[in-house]
Amino acid sequence: MKSTAMRGADALLEALKVAGIRTIFTLSGNHVMSVFDAAVDSEIELIHVRQEGAAVHMADAWARMSGKVGVVLVTGGPGHANAISALYTAKCGEMPVVLLSGHAPLRELGLGAFQEMSQAEMAAPVTKASWTAQSTATLPKDLARAFRIAQSGRPGPVHLSLPSDVLEAEFSGSRPEVAEFAAEPQALAPAAARAIVRELANAQRPLVIAPPLLATPPGRKLVDGLRQALGVPVVVMESPRGINDPGLGAIAEILAECDLIVLLGKALDFTLRFGKAPAMAAQCRWIVIDTDVELLARAARTQKQRLSLSAIADARSAANALMQAAADGGAGRHEQWAAEVQAAIDYRPWGSDAAAFPPKNGGMHSTAMCLALQPFLDRHADAIFVCDGGEVGQWAQAVLKAPQRVINGFAGAIGSAIPFAIGARKACPGSPVLTVLGDGTFGFHMAEFDTAVRNNLPFVAVVGNDAKWNAEYQIQVRDFGEPRALGCTLGQATRYDLVASALGGHGEFVVKGEDLPGALERAFASGKPACVNVLIQGTPAPIVRRKR
Ligand SMILES: Cc1ncc(C[n+]2csc(CCOP(=O)(O)OP(=O)(O)O)c2C)c(N)n1
Ligand SMILES: [Mg+2]
């Protein structure tokens, strides 16, 4: 039976449409069924997943690839709690995600309501803002505010709890304008931009470090423009391995030599060894641009007189202001230094000959496995490479060159790869999506093969199957010795490929390396969500250094 009055739930979807949203990643539940009902009469599509955390990861990857805000709708209490951990990945990845969680009705709070929980408090540490809607009349305004906060400054997730009585009551409030949803830029003052351009020009070995939000497709374009305009190297950091990110080759050697580092919205934290020697030159000076005044204060405290300038601005606005200032004159040329930096980033000790990495103990070497995937990425200029953590993930990030990359980022949380692949495919329906993940990681969200099948969102997941949680096994061997390695083994040659086919996807099991290229082709040609399950040796992740 269709309700005639406009409810809070209808007003919410109407507001989402004003914000340009046509897709919501969701898992149903009592508290949000009015929103499902409202969706029947809207043009908004619901992608119904199998676990709430997966919905957050999908929205996160969708946001990375679409440039819009990813929207998630889950139920209250345990549904909300399931979504929480995945918000941390979006927060560290600096992605605008709005989590809408159903909530016990306001009129029952404090009376022992079904699934009553302190939801806003739970989400607070992993979001930029987190609150509970208090009235139907202001619901669309709450949503606009959530969108604005998610996109402004350093973007990130925002949580809004939706009490069921607020959703179900009749709406008669005001409707926000499109502009109210948009980001509020924080510009870099022209004088500061000029001063930074001058300092860069005067430095011998300067480097600009950009944050994860600039690892998106438009972000990479901005970074390229900035590199050109400033005539200095600009590097995007997004890996929890920080200066040891194998995807950045021998960058650690460069960082140790810089005399000026400009942090363009990149936090000075563990990824940069807190800015300390010997990872950084003892005399290296810093310029810090950030929207977070606490980060500016922290840099001033830790770097003291080595902090030569700090400014409040968001990374995108600051990049544009720096390009403008450089165009007005004063940018230096650091061609030789830029070439040195690029050579370090491109450096890989292993070359491209897979024969140098023969199989052992019945499994491929991770390098050989990844080298066999590269030709596919080379043939597809629009391919998206998605990668998760673990040792095999580090190999894939080090070896594979892809037009677009989505990784789990500074959060260092494993498990996002499969939902990331689905979210990326939803945002880019024509692009082939290749994901590489470990056998341990595969277990977190393998049920999402079902979501991908139901929604016709094909991708290929290559599972490096070493029958281990190898990253942790390697720590045990290194720190405690092999005889004390405990509890980090997984089933031998487990058939993860059969999981994919059981759920309606396509499965390939690769025991011999020479069978991998054919299996990969068949997996993509199937047009289905596919798992290529490859037996590998379980090699420690690479740390790239050149012999000097
Ligand atoms: C959510 C979460 N849980 C646990 C960890 C710790 N962790 C990091 S890598 C890893 C092992 C991953 O195993 P697998 O996916 O098989 O990759 P492998 O290291 O074996 O190549 C674990 C347990 C983490 N980073 N994130
Ligand atoms: Mg493993």
Side-chain angles (χ1 to χ4, degrees):
M1 197 185 13
K2 186 174 183 306
S3 104
T4 46
M6 183 167 210
R7 297 159 296 184
D10 301 295
L12 183 80
L13 289 190
E14 186 190 82
L16 280 171
K17 264 168 62 184
V18 171
I21 297 301
R22 296 290 179 276
T23 304
I24 298 178
F25 300 94
T26 186
L27 205 157
S28 56
N30 295 17
H31 296 117
V32 294
M33 295 325 288
S34 59
V35 185
F36 272 60
D37 182 61
V40 173
D41 304 313
S42 83
E43 289 149 28
I44 292 185
E45 178 190 19
L46 303 179
I47 307 273
H48 198 298
V49 308
R50 304 302 299 258
Q51 207 269 4
E52 287 84 355
V56 175
H57 288 315
M58 285 178 203
D60 178 341
W62 186 88
R64 291 182 201 219
M65 298 313 298
S66 70
K68 297 184 189 167
V69 175
V71 179
V72 185
L73 174 71
V74 301
T75 197
H80 172 74
N82 276 348
I84 296 288
S85 171
L87 290 172
Y88 184 62
T89 295
K91 182 158 191 265
C92 296
E94 305 179 343
M95 281 302 111
V97 168
V98 169
L99 171 66
L100 303 171
S101 300
H103 189 278
L106 292 178
R107 63 170 179 272
E108 293 177 3
L109 294 186
L111 300 173
F114 174 57
Q115 297 180 339
E116 183 176 347
M117 214 181 255
S118 302
Q119 297 184 182
E121 287 86 339
M122 280 179 83
V126 285
T127 51
K128 293 182 71 182
S130 179
W131 72 98
T132 305
Q134 295 298 324
S135 100
T136 307
T138 49
L139 202 49
K141 294 270 183 191
D142 279 325
L143 187 74
R145 186 175 151 232
F147 267 60
R148 164 157 289 202
I149 296 171
Q151 297 180 91
S152 299
R154 172 179 279 106
V158 173
H159 165 65
L160 176 61
S161 267
L162 307 169
S164 53
D165 49 356
V166 169
L167 287 171
E168 287 156 17
E170 191 169 338
F171 173 75
S172 62
S174 62
R175 295 169 159 94
E177 305 285 324
V178 183
E180 291 176 57
F181 294 83
E184 202 168 5
Q186 278 182 278
L188 180 65
R194 281 195 300 276
I196 294 169
V197 168
R198 214 166 32 239
E199 287 224 32
L200 283 167
N202 291 337
Q204 300 293 309
R205 294 175 303 280
L207 184 69
V208 177
I209 304 183
L213 78 107
L214 295 183
T216 57
R220 297 259 178 210
K221 277 205 190 93
L222 195 58
V223 165
D224 289 344
L226 189 62
R227 198 178 286 126
Q228 290 286 325
L230 293 175
V232 301
V234 184
V235 54
V236 180
M237 287 187 80
E238 57 167 345
S239 162
R241 299 245 167 163
I243 67 171
N244 283 336
D245 173 3
L248 291 177
I251 190 77
E253 294 167 14
I254 293 295
L255 286 161
E257 290 179 359
C258 289
D259 62 347
L260 175 67
I261 295 179
V262 175
L263 297 178
L264 181 68
K266 167 72 190 76
L268 182 52
D269 60 10
F270 75 100
T271 62
L272 287 163
R273 303 278 168 93
F274 308 103
K276 288 189 180 151
M280 309 295 152
Q283 295 314 314
C284 177
R285 287 175 306 115
W286 298 82
I287 291 178
V288 183
I289 306 169
D290 212 290
T291 46
D292 184 341
V293 286
E294 292 204 356
L295 284 188
L296 298 179
R298 189 166 85 188
R301 217 165 45 239
T302 60
Q303 302 310 310
K304 303 196 170 66
Q305 71 280 6
R306 294 195 296 147
L307 180 68
S308 94
L309 196 155
S310 69
I312 297 181
D314 72 79
R316 288 193 199 100
S317 303
N320 284 315
L322 290 172
M323 285 195 279
Q324 183 60 54
D328 293 344
R333 287 286 133 203
H334 290 87
E335 269 141 33
Q336 200 195 326
W337 168 243
E340 271 179 50
V341 174
Q342 199 55 48
I345 291 174
D346 292 340
Y347 177 74
R348 299 290 184 280
W350 45 80
S352 56
D353 179 15
F357 303 94
K360 210 168 75 186
N361 305 332
M364 286 185 92
H365 191 285
S366 297
T367 317
M369 181 188 92
C370 296
L371 288 172
L373 307 177
Q374 186 63 51
F376 181 85
L377 294 172
D378 291 341
R379 282 202 305 280
H380 295 90
D382 57 345
I384 302 169
F385 165 54
V386 177
C387 195
D388 212 321
E391 304 302 80
V392 71
Q394 295 306 317
W395 278 106
Q397 289 172 42
V399 173
L400 293 175
K401 292 210 177 344
Q404 290 303 335
R405 183 176 96 147
V406 180
I407 66 166
N408 59 338
F410 292 141
I414 56 173
S416 58
I418 291 172
F420 267 3
I422 297 170
R425 175 72 192 200
K426 182 68 192 166
C428 307
S431 299
V433 179
L434 172 71
T435 175
V436 179
L437 68 162
D439 48 344
T441 302
F442 186 85
F444 282 71
H445 287 301
M446 61 186 171
E448 300 307 331
F449 269 92
D450 166 71
T451 305
V453 168
R454 279 184 291 108
N455 290 280
N456 189 25
L457 294 169
F459 64 95
V460 173
V462 174
V463 176
N465 186 346
D466 56 8
K468 281 190 208 67
W469 303 89
N470 193 27
E472 308 311 315
Y473 170 78
Q474 294 298 337
I475 291 173
Q476 294 181 321
V477 171
R478 189 191 67 210
D479 293 354
F480 311 108
E482 156 72 40
R484 298 189 66 78
L486 175 72
C488 290
T489 49
L490 287 162
Q492 280 295 330
T494 300
R495 298 296 302 274
Y496 300 107
D497 49 305
L498 297 181
V499 173
S501 41
L503 292 172
H506 178 91
E508 295 279 345
F509 185 46
V510 177
V511 179
K512 286 198 265 148
E514 62 261 35
D515 296 335
L516 177 52
L520 189 71
E521 288 307 321
R522 286 191 297 278
F524 274 105
S526 76
K528 295 178 181 175
C531 169
V532 180
N533 182 11
V534 186
L535 298 188
I536 61 167
Q537 291 162 24
T539 334
I543 294 181
V544 179
R545 295 281 190 278
R546 291 174 294 192
K547 289 196 190 78
R548 294 200 151 187

